[in-house]
Amino acid sequence: MEYILHKKSNCKRIKIRVIEGVVCVSAPFTVSKKIIDDFVQEQEAWIKNQLDKNTQSKENDLICLLGNEYRLHYINQKMCYVAGNALYLYPDKTLIQKFLKQNAKKYIDLRFEFFCEQLNIHNISLQYGFYKSKWGSCTPSKHKICFNVNLIFMPLEFVDAIILHELAHLFHFNHSKDFYNLLCTWMPNYKEIVKENKKKQLPKLY
Ligand SMILES: [Zn+2]
């Protein structure tokens, strides 16, 4: 686990605090790195819990959806919608996921169609889901591509990069040199875009 370490002479024991999503550890000068690491390891469950609390989205947070920012408001009517620069959500996982999926699909379907036309690709069916560790997947034998609904929170150029990544798998199944060469002819700054967005944290709306 990553943390920021402050060694202090006036400190009697190791202390961990989680401040705005950052783990800060203070320790006396005499304590070794190994002992501090072990201590942090022991407290991992507590730290994760604190980090989770921190990432849960709150009233008035700014939420980015398909490249636009919205002010978040939780409401007590059973609906989710956008009006002007505001995002209104009823705090229910099923409803919020349905809202995100509908809106991600509306945009990505069109964008996907645009690239398919440019690249002369036909008859690919799309699916959408919430995935923990992938932005998309491609099954060329079934002419099927899946996209992660959470793409809705990412910059539009990143969404393009993922669409093109999955389309490139129709020609090269693995992540070979040929695969990246093709991808980079379609999107020369592909690697920079992916790198820039690698550590972006997704909002936790439910
Ligand atoms: Zn891939």
Side-chain angles (χ1 to χ4, degrees), residues 165-166 169 175 179:
H165 179 115
E166 298 313 332
H169 277 314
H175 294 131
F179 168 83

Side-chain angles (χ1 to χ4, degrees), residues 118-202:
Q118 303 273 309
L119 299 166
N120 213 7
I121 294 168
H122 305 283
N123 298 324
I124 303 296
S125 66
L126 292 187
Q127 271 186 14
Y128 294 85
F130 290 87
Y131 311 117
K132 281 237 151 66
S133 56
K134 60 179 182 193
W135 285 115
S137 64
C138 177
T139 319
S141 59
K142 292 183 177 164
H143 305 276
K144 194 178 89 178
I145 288 178
C146 300
F147 289 116
N148 190 334
V149 174
N150 290 323
L151 281 168
I152 196 170
F153 301 119
M154 301 300 282
L156 296 184
E157 59 179 6
F158 184 80
V159 178
D160 281 355
I162 299 303
I163 293 175
L164 290 170
H165 179 115
E166 298 313 332
L167 283 172
H169 277 314
L170 295 171
F171 303 90
H172 302 284
F173 193 59
N174 45 26
H175 294 131
S176 60
K177 208 167 178 230
D178 290 341
F179 168 83
Y180 282 108
N181 284 342
L182 176 65
L183 196 44
C184 289
T185 58
W186 292 347
M187 189 180 221
N189 54 348
Y190 171 83
K191 283 190 176 167
E192 287 98 83
I193 291 173
V194 169
K195 202 175 159 201
E196 265 170 41
N197 289 288
K198 214 167 194 161
K199 289 202 168 163
K200 203 167 152 51
Q201 261 212 331
L202 300 178

Side-chain angles (χ1 to χ4, degrees), residues 25 28 36 48 55-56 61 75 77 88 92 101 112 125 134 142 161-163 173 181-182 185 190 201:
V25 180
I36 298 170
K48 284 210 167 127
T55 53
Q56 182 69 47
D61 275 0
I75 54 176
Q77 293 155 281
Y88 298 94
D92 171 82
K101 191 172 171 180
F112 184 78
S125 66
K134 60 179 182 193
K142 292 183 177 164
I162 299 303
I163 293 175
F173 193 59
N181 284 342
L182 176 65
T185 58
Y190 171 83
Q201 261 212 331

